[in-house]
Amino acid sequence: MKKYLVLFIFIFSSYHANSQVLISLIFGDKLNSPDVEFGLEGGVNFSHLGGLESKNSLGTFNLGLYFDIRMKDQWYLYTGVLVKSKLGTDKLKEGDLDFLKVDIYPEAGNYSQVLNYFLVPGLAKYKLKNHFYFEAGPQLGWMYKSWVEYNSDIDGKDARIREYNKDLINWFDIGMVGGMGYQLLKGKGMTIGIKYYYGFLDVYKEKSGTKNNSLFLKA
């Protein structure tokens, strides 16, 4: 987890100044106004699928676009789409591999379930005058690719094999998000925050209780 946090801080400290320049070049300044803020959101998330024997979280990066729309006074609508986002579970157990019917390789290695989603939040956001904020609301997910990934490193030889299993997965997901954060530079700089997502629907078509949940660190 420490590795992801260091990379997260480094990447978004480096790109924060350039992101608004890039957005202005592509979209112009019309998308940003006193009542609408548009920008880039990214970070790392640590996800897990309920109902499996493995209890290990899968750490991945995510990136997308957001709109922060003032509704009334200090209330905002926070929406957008994470176009690069992965959920899943790491270090699958023997029972998980048996359920997923994946090939088992003789060399020791790690198996993980990876799910690629487009994630679309629709959150009510309340900004305090001290530049902290709280947010909560539903989030929709569209799964467009999934696989079980085998990784091994033996005697200096790396191996990575993906076995795609999209047919086992429900393509649609919906759940709730709750989070909080802080906007730097007295409310005019980069926002950093944390949020938690819990899915309401089963991820696997033939296994109940397999719901997505993930902790997001974002900027």
Side-chain angles (χ1 to χ4, degrees), residues 48-49 87 115 117 173 197-199 203 210-214:
H48 174 257
L49 288 171
L87 302 178
L115 307 160
Y117 280 94
D173 194 40
Y197 171 71
Y198 183 80
V203 171
T210 53
K211 297 176 172 56
N212 279 311
N213 56 89
S214 185

Side-chain angles (χ1 to χ4, degrees), residues 23-162:
I23 291 167
S24 296
L25 289 173
I26 297 175
F27 299 102
D29 294 328
K30 295 180 180 179
L31 290 175
N32 283 288
S33 70
D35 294 325
V36 178
E37 179 183 304
F38 171 76
L40 301 176
E41 176 187 326
V44 295
N45 62 291
F46 303 91
S47 59
H48 174 257
L49 288 171
L52 297 181
E53 290 184 12
S54 173
K55 305 304 179 185
N56 294 283
S57 296
L58 179 70
T60 58
F61 291 98
N62 56 77
L63 183 66
L65 308 172
Y66 76 89
F67 286 92
D68 213 1
I69 305 168
R70 184 192 297 271
M71 305 302 292
K72 184 179 180 182
D73 299 329
Q74 293 166 263
W75 286 98
Y76 291 76
L77 170 65
Y78 186 88
T79 187
V81 57
L82 285 177
V83 295
K84 180 179 175 55
S85 56
K86 294 183 178 71
L87 302 178
T89 291
D90 199 15
K91 298 181 180 178
L92 296 172
K93 303 295 185 181
E94 184 176 345
D96 303 326
L97 298 175
D98 183 60
F99 162 69
L100 294 170
K101 298 178 181 179
V102 299
D103 294 330
I104 306 299
Y105 299 95
E107 295 81 7
N110 176 56
Y111 297 81
S112 56
Q113 173 70 71
V114 183
L115 307 160
N116 269 14
Y117 280 94
F118 292 119
L119 298 177
V120 181
L123 311 181
K125 183 175 183 178
Y126 187 78
K127 295 184 179 182
L128 302 175
K129 293 181 179 180
N130 60 5
H131 313 304
F132 281 93
Y133 69 85
F134 296 90
E135 59 186 1
Q139 178 171 276
L140 306 179
W142 173 35
M143 189 279 301
Y144 61 91
K145 188 183 295 185
S146 69
W147 63 85
V148 173
E149 183 165 304
Y150 163 77
N151 286 277
S152 71
D153 182 2
I154 300 176
D155 297 329
K157 296 180 180 179
D158 294 331
R160 185 180 71 172
I161 300 174
R162 291 180 176 180

